Amino acid sequence: MTATNDRVPGAPKVLMVDDRRENLVALAAILQGLPVEPVTAASGEEALKRLLVDDFAVILLDAQMPGMDGFETAAHIKQRERTRHVPIIFLTAVDRDAHLAFRGYAAGAVDYLTKPFDPWALRAKVSVFVDLWTKNRQLSEQAATAARYAALAATVEEALGHLDQGSPEKAAAVLRSVG
Amino acid sequence: MDSALLTLLADALGRVQQGDFQVRIPQATASDQEEEGVIDRFNQVVEQLGRRNQDLIRIAQIVGREGELTERLPINDYPGEWAGGVQAVNSLIDDLGRPTTEIARVIVAVADGDLSQKMALEIDGQPMRGEFLRIGRTVNTMVDQLSSFADEVTRVAREVGTEGKLGGQAKVTGVSGTWRDLTYNVNFMASNLTAQVRNIASVATAVAKGDLSQKITIDAQGEILELKSTMNTMVDQLSSFGDEVTRVAREVGSEGKLGGQAQVRGVSGTWKDLTENVNQLASTLTTQLRAIARVSTAVTRGDLTQRITVAAQGEVAELKDNINQMIVTLRETTKKNAEQDWLNSNMARVSGLLQGQRDLNEVCRMIMDEVTPLVDAQVGAFFLQQEGQDGTVRLRLTGSYGYVPEGYSVDFAPGEGLVGQAVAARRTIRITQTPPGYLTVRSGLGSAPPADVVVLPVLFEGQPLGVIEFGSLSTFSELHLTFLDRLVATIGVALNTIRANQRTEELLSQSQRLALELQEQSGEMSRTNLELEEKAALLSEQNRNIEIKNQEIEMARLGLEEKAQQLALASQYKSEFLANMSHELRTPLNSLLLLARLLADNTERNLSEKQIEFARTIHNAGSDLLSLIDDILDLSKIEAGRMDVEASNVELSEISEYVERAFRPQAEEKGLKLRVDTIGETMPMVYTDAQRLQQILRNLLSNAVKFTDSGSVTLTIGNAAPAEPFGVPTLDSAAKVVAFAVHDTGIGVPAEKLSLIFDEFQQADGTTSRKYGGTGLGLSISRKLAQLLGGTILVESTLNEGSTFTLYLPDVLPGLPANRPAQFATRPAPLQGMPVTRPNPAILRPVSRPEPVQTPSTRRLDGACVLIVDDDVRNVFALTSALELHGMTVLYADNGAEGVRLTTEHPEVDIVLMDAMMPDMDGNETTQAIRRMPEFADLPIVFLTAKAMPGDREKAIAAGASDYITKPVDLDDLLELMAGWVQ
């Protein structure tokens, strides 16, 4: 879990999983300049550990890894309610086996890039998913605000009802309960 | 006391001293009372002395002289010192007296004849000494000698006199004088008697045993002498008589000298009668024996006419009769033996003559010649039975002796005449009284009729073989007739044998003839056989050669198969190696390319032109390397037969679009025209592997673009001319063939290189690669891929004008059923490598219902914060998913230290799930660390453990665990348990 030096506080996090350090460096270089906090994991297990303690906007997952490979890692991720909607982009050097790509998609990948890939393409894809995540976040925040307002309105309504029935104590109690 | 008295006393004592016990001192001399007393005492003493002296004298006299040894001194009369003296005297008497008494006792016993008594040499325990001892020993010696002498004499007398044991001698030792003489005489008498009696006894014993040569030789006198001479005379006469009788008996009985007479002189009485009787016996025996001997001698010499005529009685008469009878019997037996001998020897002779004969006529003649004179016959004829041509049997004269034919036929049928009759009746016919003129025996000087004629049939096993007839002037003896009877049997055997031999010989010659013929035939056959065998051998040789060839071929085939397998294996290894290698090479290359590309793009705008150029060069070289690796990987895959073909329906319009999209920029960059044409009514799609097809076209087009500097590159897609022969079965048999022709106006390929450009690492010119780059693998891979798709690539080229590479593909990929393409397009790829089982047991049992079910426990847990401390992230992840579904917030620590840290940082944690086994700091230690902090004394900590070893639970509880559950955990159980701990 090496964070890059241009870490953006509070920025969406991108989880990069590869057993090769140089690949992680390259991925970090590609994402340089994007408003994200890249988080690296050197194995599937470490990726799962990261996921247990953090939320991520997108996951870049190397398919070929010793031990728990990308497919298994993806399967675990997809089984967990909290992480199943995190978009996964598979990165693999093995491009000629068509069924590998299929496996990637079957494991829940939103995209499947074979190396060597165009860094700008990857950068663009990540950027899209990060935007999406940010939008989602904002949406859910707005939804929460709306719900809060709705609740508040309902409470005021209830208080008004109590007032109408001539029981200001009850109205005051209801209003107090929401602070 | 006055001196007078003293003088008196002195005087008196002087006399006493000199032995005068008569001295007395008169009382009167006493002057006073005192002196009177002295005198009185003195006188008493002297008187006492005198009396005691007398006593001694008396006792000496009684003991010494009178021999009264019992006398003793009266001891009572002697007081004081005197008593000792008296005791001594009495003791002396005792000592002297006792030996004397002993000696007397012994001597008295000897005198009474008791020689067993002896003197005791000690008395009252005191051994005798001195003279007494000597006397004692002498007396004992004397008694011993006497006793010994008496014993010996008594023994000798008893042995010699009473028991008759002669030779006994008295042995008395240590005697001398008269005793010795006496002993000597006794011995002499005993030995004398012994010698005489033994002599007489030995002579008498010898006579009794028959030895008459012994005489009594011992000197004797008196009556013994007389006895001796009588005995000797008797022995002489007995000896003489014995000698004579023995001689006669030996001469007559043993030596056979008859006529001997015993001459015994001077005998009379019984002896004389005895002698005469012996002589009588000898003479009678002599007479009879001589008579018998004479006759026996005659018989021995063969004279059996003698008879024993001597008069005899009893057994001798019986003997005589027996011998006479024996002589008679012997005579008869001898005669019979002679006849039998004659018979046997002549039978043997004739039989011998018959042996080995083969000619019947010769046999008949021989029999006539030999047998006729043997039986004293003068005429003989032999008729042999012969079978005629007509099957009739005739008896024909085949041999004769002394016979003169009478002028008529001499052969008979069976039953004709006596000859025929003999055959018919199978028995001998004899004529003893022949009439005159019946038969004549002729000699040169005269003739006479035979007296006896015998006709004998010759039979063998009852079958007649012929007839023999003999005539004789005298009568045939029984012997001769017997001989003839037996002879004809022998002749029968011989004739039969000859006939059988003849038949055998005939058969033999016949069989020999046949054998000869057979031999000739078999010679021919064996020649044929030989030829056949040669041919067979030739064939088998060829067969064997073929077999050997076959074996060699089989061996070679096996070797080839093995090689092929090895090759396949090696090839597989190679391609696997290459595949791995390529992957390993590509992996670092990928990041290299990425980074180089980033640098070359210079997004930061902080690189110089040169640096950008370097980065670009790195990127280009890396790209080339990557494509080379890809090519090598493809090539090796194709060669190993591991290139998979994924067929699907491919729209040709898509291909056109792809080509346009991929190559137009490149072409335009080089100033080339790119055109994609579809000619004719091309079918809209082909069923093949789109990826491979693209790969081939990519290769061909990139080559075309690469090697063309000006002009155009054209891809023409259309159906191939139907009549075009490809020489590729899959194309020739395909319903339709699609042609993809790539035409360029480039440098072209010289005609002589056209065959090389498809080989690996071959380009038309060695300089080509330097000028245009590329590996030279592209065409090679393309052609192989085309073959894989059931097609081929053909090329036409003109140097410096351009080339046309045409890819021909069948409309349907061969080897796949044409009706299945649609299914292939949507075939699901097999899912492999999905997480299934792992060495560690899963934390959770497989959950049958994925949807969380609301229970009171889960409601209680909703919103709870759970800290999981476990190093196995797979299981934690699954568990976390499950717990999150129930509304719980999960914190995670993958080791004990992190667990402790999180616990302290997150006071909101309601419950901790602790893995028992973790590296470094295990569950127990972690729990202890948490419990050491007072604020977490009551924090529920539930242990999860893979396997419950005995004692694990106790250890966990001791470490501070609140509860304990075993993996794999049933989620419901876990939730229930957790709910129990969460407030």
Side-chain angles (χ1 to χ4, degrees):
Chain A
M1 52 191 249
T2 316
T4 46
N5 49 6
D6 57 345
R7 180 176 174 170
V8 184
K13 289 175 180 166
V14 176
L15 180 60
M16 305 182 297
V17 189
D18 200 314
D19 59 312
R20 289 179 169 271
R21 237 189 80 78
E22 63 269 27
N23 285 355
L24 292 173
V25 169
L27 286 174
I30 287 168
L31 299 185
Q32 205 170 19
L34 285 179
V36 297
E37 181 186 340
V39 176
T40 60
S43 67
E45 287 89 346
E46 197 183 335
L48 292 185
K49 287 181 185 175
R50 291 287 105 224
L51 283 164
L52 280 172
V53 297
D54 257 331
D55 288 327
F56 293 91
V58 63
I59 302 168
L60 304 182
L61 186 55
D62 183 21
Q64 308 294 105
M65 286 185 295
M68 191 191 287
D69 67 6
F71 302 114
E72 190 192 339
T73 310
H76 281 299
I77 294 168
K78 287 296 158 188
Q79 276 173 1
R80 186 181 172 203
E81 185 60 34
R82 191 173 152 190
T83 53
R84 68 187 306 163
H85 299 297
V86 180
I88 300 173
I89 298 174
F90 266 103
L91 305 173
T92 178
V94 187
D95 58 334
R96 299 300 159 94
D97 271 333
H99 77 264
L100 275 182
F102 187 89
R103 276 188 65 192
Y105 288 117
V110 294
D111 213 336
Y112 190 92
L113 295 180
T114 56
K115 301 173 189 174
F117 48 80
D118 186 332
W120 300 109
L122 178 64
R123 188 179 162 98
K125 284 173 199 282
V126 169
S127 150
V128 167
F129 287 121
V130 167
D131 284 350
L132 194 62
W133 184 83
T134 312
K135 292 269 173 7
N136 271 342
R137 177 60 58 88
Q138 286 168 355
L139 200 62
S140 62
E141 278 171 10
Q142 284 169 3
T145 312
R148 212 163 51 239
Y149 287 149
L152 198 62
T155 314
V156 169
E157 199 71 29
E158 195 186 347
L160 285 174
H162 285 305
L163 280 176
D164 285 350
Q165 288 167 6
S167 45
E169 294 84 5
K170 278 187 181 175
V174 169
L175 286 176
R176 264 201 300 278
S177 68
V178 293
Chain B
M1 191 176 305
D2 60 32
S3 56
L5 186 56
L6 283 172
T7 308
L8 266 175
L9 269 173
D11 184 49
L13 282 171
R15 286 177 64 185
V16 168
Q17 195 182 12
Q18 286 166 2
D20 182 5
F21 298 123
Q22 300 302 318
V23 65
R24 298 293 184 266
I25 299 172
Q27 288 287 351
T29 56
S31 55
D32 59 8
Q33 190 88 27
E34 194 179 352
E35 283 180 358
E36 198 177 322
V38 170
I39 290 164
D40 193 34
R41 185 61 55 98
F42 179 79
N43 285 346
Q44 277 176 11
V45 167
V46 174
E47 189 193 344
Q48 208 170 19
L49 279 172
R51 200 172 58 243
R52 286 194 184 151
N53 200 32
Q54 285 301 311
D55 276 354
L56 284 173
I57 290 164
R58 183 185 51 87
I59 199 85
Q61 193 158 6
I62 290 169
V63 173
R65 299 280 165 75
E66 294 170 13
E68 192 63 55
L69 294 177
T70 56
E71 192 64 27
R72 296 290 184 273
L73 287 174
I75 198 157
N76 294 335
D77 296 347
Y78 299 89
E81 286 292 318
W82 288 105
V86 168
Q87 195 78 38
V89 170
N90 282 347
S91 183
L92 174 71
I93 295 165
D94 279 351
D95 289 349
L96 282 172
R98 276 186 193 148
T100 311
T101 314
E102 186 67 13
I103 290 164
R105 182 184 65 80
V106 171
I107 287 171
V108 167
V110 168
D112 289 349
D114 180 3
L115 298 178
S116 63
Q117 298 295 326
K118 283 208 173 174
M119 270 191 72
L121 293 180
E122 59 181 29
I123 294 162
D124 293 346
Q126 293 292 317
M128 288 188 180
R129 293 199 183 88
E131 280 297 305
F132 287 125
L133 184 60
R134 204 171 53 81
I135 289 165
R137 276 182 183 156
T138 306
V139 167
N140 280 349
T141 306
M142 183 195 73
V143 171
D144 279 347
Q145 283 180 353
L146 267 176
S147 171
S148 170
F149 177 74
D151 283 352
E152 279 299 295
V153 172
T154 307
R155 184 179 60 78
V156 170
R158 192 180 64 240
E159 280 182 6
V160 175
T162 313
E163 298 174 0
K165 282 188 195 162
L166 300 179
Q169 291 279 300
K171 288 193 178 65
V172 184
T173 49
V175 290
S176 52
T178 311
W179 288 115
R180 204 175 55 200
D181 291 349
L182 204 51
T183 308
Y184 176 77
N185 283 340
V186 166
N187 283 345
F188 182 72
M189 181 195 75
S191 75
N192 230 2
L193 266 173
T194 300
Q196 287 168 358
V197 170
R198 277 187 180 162
N199 200 254
I200 292 165
S202 79
V203 171
T205 307
V207 171
K209 285 181 179 165
D211 179 4
L212 298 179
S213 64
Q214 302 292 324
K215 287 230 177 150
I216 299 169
T217 49
I218 197 154
D219 290 336
Q221 278 90 33
E223 279 189 36
I224 297 285
L225 183 61
E226 210 172 309
L227 178 60
K228 173 186 163 187
S229 60
T230 308
M231 281 286 285
N232 282 347
T233 309
M234 187 192 76
V235 169
D236 282 346
Q237 282 187 352
L238 266 177
S239 173
S240 168
F241 176 72
D243 282 353
E244 279 302 297
V245 172
T246 305
R247 183 180 57 80
V248 170
R250 193 180 61 237
E251 280 180 4
V252 175
S254 306
E255 298 174 356
K257 283 187 196 166
L258 298 178
Q261 292 284 294
Q263 308 282 333
V264 185
R265 279 176 301 277
V267 291
S268 54
T270 309
W271 290 116
K272 198 178 173 188
D273 292 348
L274 206 52
T275 309
E276 280 169 2
N277 281 346
V278 167
N279 283 344
Q280 175 75 36
L281 168 86
S283 77
T284 310
L285 268 175
T286 302
T287 314
Q288 290 173 346
L289 276 176
R290 277 183 181 162
I292 291 167
R294 189 168 44 75
V295 172
S296 298
T297 310
V299 169
T300 310
R301 288 199 193 111
D303 179 2
L304 300 174
T305 57
Q306 301 291 323
R307 281 181 62 82
I308 302 167
T309 49
V310 76
Q313 277 89 34
E315 284 193 26
V316 177
E318 250 174 67
L319 176 64
K320 186 188 80 175
D321 290 347
N322 282 345
I323 288 173
N324 285 342
Q325 182 61 41
M326 185 192 77
I327 291 167
V328 170
T329 310
L330 198 57
R331 203 158 51 215
E332 286 169 8
T333 308
T334 308
K335 185 161 170 271
K336 270 187 196 159
N337 279 347
E339 285 180 0
Q340 203 62 40
D341 280 353
W342 181 87
L343 202 64
N344 286 339
S345 64
N346 282 309
M347 281 295 294
R349 195 167 64 83
V350 176
S351 294
L353 288 171
L354 285 172
Q355 266 177 12
Q357 291 290 344
R358 302 221 162 171
D359 187 356
L360 283 172
N361 292 327
E362 181 64 22
V363 167
C364 296
R365 195 188 55 72
M366 191 269 292
I367 289 168
M368 287 295 104
D369 290 354
E370 288 294 327
V371 178
T372 312
L374 207 60
V375 295
D376 292 344
Q378 282 74 41
V379 180
F382 200 117
F383 298 89
L384 205 58
Q385 180 169 303
Q386 286 174 338
E387 206 167 321
Q389 296 289 332
D390 51 356
T392 55
V393 174
R394 300 296 290 180
L395 290 157
R396 186 162 287 129
L397 181 69
T398 41
S400 63
Y401 182 93
Y403 172 69
V404 181
E406 293 283 348
Y408 49 86
S409 169
V410 270
D411 63 300
F412 308 89
E416 277 182 5
L418 287 179
V419 170
Q421 181 57 43
V423 165
R426 290 164 173 75
R427 70 167 51 142
T428 305
I429 297 169
R430 191 173 171 199
I431 308 153
T432 44
Q433 297 298 319
T434 52
Y438 171 79
L439 181 65
T440 314
V441 177
R442 283 175 213 275
S443 72
L445 300 175
S447 63
D452 204 347
V453 172
V454 65
V455 182
L456 305 122
V458 178
L459 303 170
F460 178 75
E461 292 181 347
Q463 292 302 313
L465 299 174
V467 173
I468 301 173
E469 183 175 343
F470 290 108
S472 175
L473 293 174
S474 57
T475 306
F476 286 115
S477 69
E478 280 301 313
L479 178 62
H480 288 164
L481 288 174
T482 308
F483 174 67
L484 288 175
D485 269 346
R486 288 171 61 179
L487 184 66
V488 289
T490 310
I491 290 169
V493 172
L495 289 182
N496 186 60
T497 308
I498 291 166
R499 286 231 164 127
N501 273 345
Q502 278 178 343
R503 271 199 296 279
T504 309
E505 272 172 19
E506 276 170 28
L507 286 172
L508 182 68
S509 67
Q510 204 174 342
S511 73
Q512 276 172 343
R513 206 175 56 247
L514 287 171
L516 208 66
E517 283 173 23
L518 267 173
Q519 211 172 356
E520 282 169 13
Q521 286 175 358
S522 75
E524 215 164 310
M525 279 179 73
S526 70
R527 262 198 310 284
T528 317
N529 245 1
L530 210 64
E531 286 168 18
L532 278 173
E533 271 173 19
E534 279 168 11
K535 280 176 183 162
L538 212 61
L539 269 174
S540 76
E541 176 72 17
Q542 285 171 352
N543 253 354
R544 204 160 42 247
N545 285 344
I546 288 169
E547 258 174 36
I548 292 169
K549 283 275 187 320
N550 275 347
Q551 278 174 359
E552 283 170 0
I553 289 168
E554 179 65 16
M555 296 289 279
R557 194 181 63 76
L558 286 176
L560 277 175
E561 265 179 19
E562 208 172 305
K563 282 280 186 314
Q565 279 174 359
Q566 287 173 354
L567 273 176
L569 207 60
S571 169
Q572 197 185 335
Y573 287 152
K574 191 189 82 178
S575 54
E576 274 173 15
F577 169 77
L578 277 174
N580 289 335
M581 202 61 204
S582 319
H583 179 70
E584 294 300 318
L585 286 170
R586 284 152 57 106
T587 306
L589 211 50
N590 283 325
S591 34
L592 184 146
L593 283 174
L594 278 175
L595 295 172
R597 176 74 183 275
L598 285 172
L599 278 178
D601 289 345
N602 191 22
T603 46
E604 307 283 315
R605 311 258 169 228
N606 56 1
L607 297 181
S608 68
E609 277 303 309
K610 201 117 200 164
Q611 285 167 330
I612 294 168
E613 182 61 31
F614 289 167
R616 196 167 288 136
T617 308
I618 290 171
H619 183 262
N620 287 343
S623 298
D624 286 350
L625 186 57
L626 195 62
S627 74
L628 174 61
I629 289 165
D630 285 346
D631 284 350
I632 290 172
L633 184 60
D634 278 350
L635 204 59
S636 70
K637 270 187 177 174
I638 294 167
E639 283 184 350
R642 284 155 50 102
M643 179 66 90
D644 295 326
V645 175
E646 300 272 343
S648 62
N649 285 317
V650 181
E651 300 266 354
L652 291 178
S653 55
E654 283 179 10
I655 297 294
S656 309
E657 285 166 20
Y658 165 77
V659 170
E660 288 269 353
R661 203 170 56 238
F663 289 96
R664 189 163 298 283
Q666 287 186 33
E668 283 175 355
E669 205 174 306
K670 283 189 81 175
L672 299 175
K673 284 181 191 165
L674 175 75
R675 224 171 53 231
V676 180
D677 292 343
T678 307
I679 55 163
E681 289 188 14
T682 313
M683 53 186 165
M685 59 173 66
V686 290
Y687 180 70
T688 192
D689 187 325
Q691 222 184 343
R692 306 299 168 209
L693 176 56
Q694 283 180 12
Q695 199 177 346
I696 297 167
L697 292 178
R698 200 163 57 225
N699 254 315
L700 295 178
L701 285 163
S702 70
N703 274 350
V705 172
K706 192 184 342 177
F707 292 114
T708 304
D709 295 327
S710 62
S712 63
V713 171
T714 313
L715 168 66
T716 311
I717 303 172
N719 291 344
E724 213 168 336
F726 298 99
V728 179
T730 47
L731 286 178
D732 291 339
S733 63
K736 281 183 179 170
V737 175
V738 186
F740 302 84
V742 176
H743 177 75
D744 66 57
T745 56
I747 55 170
V749 183
E752 70 271 14
K753 301 272 183 175
L754 277 178
S755 58
L756 287 178
I757 55 171
F758 289 106
D759 291 348
E760 289 90 342
F761 299 105
Q762 288 289 343
Q763 286 173 333
D765 190 341
T767 60
T768 312
S769 68
R770 283 196 289 279
K771 186 174 174 188
Y772 297 102
T775 57
L777 283 177
L779 277 177
S780 179
I781 291 169
S782 295
R783 182 139 92 169
K784 287 195 163 113
L785 285 174
Q787 284 165 359
L788 206 61
L789 298 177
T792 187
I793 296 174
L794 298 178
V795 63
E796 291 166 18
S797 184
T798 311
L799 197 64
N800 298 324
E801 286 188 13
S803 316
T804 305
F805 288 83
T806 312
L807 164 71
Y808 294 97
L809 286 183
D811 56 344
V812 173
L813 183 68
L816 292 168
N819 58 349
R820 290 185 58 202
Q823 294 173 2
F824 261 84
T826 56
R827 186 176 62 129
L831 297 178
Q832 293 169 352
M834 299 299 278
V836 201
T837 51
R838 293 287 152 184
N840 283 339
I843 278 189
L844 284 177
R845 289 211 180 119
V847 183
S848 54
R849 41 170 215 278
E851 291 302 312
V853 176
Q854 285 285 331
T855 65
S857 322
T858 53
R859 271 196 292 281
R860 187 186 248 176
L861 289 169
D862 197 354
C865 183
V866 182
L867 171 61
I868 303 178
V869 186
D870 194 330
D871 65 327
D872 184 354
V873 73
R874 275 193 193 82
N875 291 331
V876 172
F877 210 77
L879 182 59
T880 301
S881 307
L883 296 180
E884 281 172 350
L885 279 178
H886 288 95
M888 281 173 264
T889 309
V890 178
L891 294 176
Y892 171 63
D894 66 351
N895 59 69
E898 178 80 359
V900 175
R901 189 180 64 79
L902 283 178
T903 311
T904 50
E905 284 178 6
H906 296 272
E908 72 271 22
V909 169
D910 295 309
I911 185 166
V912 178
L913 298 182
M914 182 74 71
D915 182 25
M917 304 228 288
M918 287 183 294
D920 299 334
M921 192 171 174
D922 69 8
N924 291 340
E925 292 172 54
T926 310
T927 306
Q928 283 163 351
I930 293 171
R931 290 289 186 227
R932 273 197 286 275
M933 293 177 280
E935 62 267 38
F936 302 118
D938 298 324
L939 179 66
I941 301 178
V942 176
F943 262 58
L944 306 174
T945 186
K947 46 184 176 180
M949 294 293 284
D952 279 359
R953 175 185 288 267
E954 286 67 27
K955 273 185 208 164
I957 301 296
S962 313
D963 214 330
Y964 187 94
I965 193 161
T966 309
K967 290 195 237 177
V969 176
D970 182 274
L971 184 61
D972 291 340
D973 290 351
L974 179 65
L975 292 174
E976 199 69 33
L977 190 144
M978 286 167 71
W981 287 100
V982 174
Q983 300 300 316

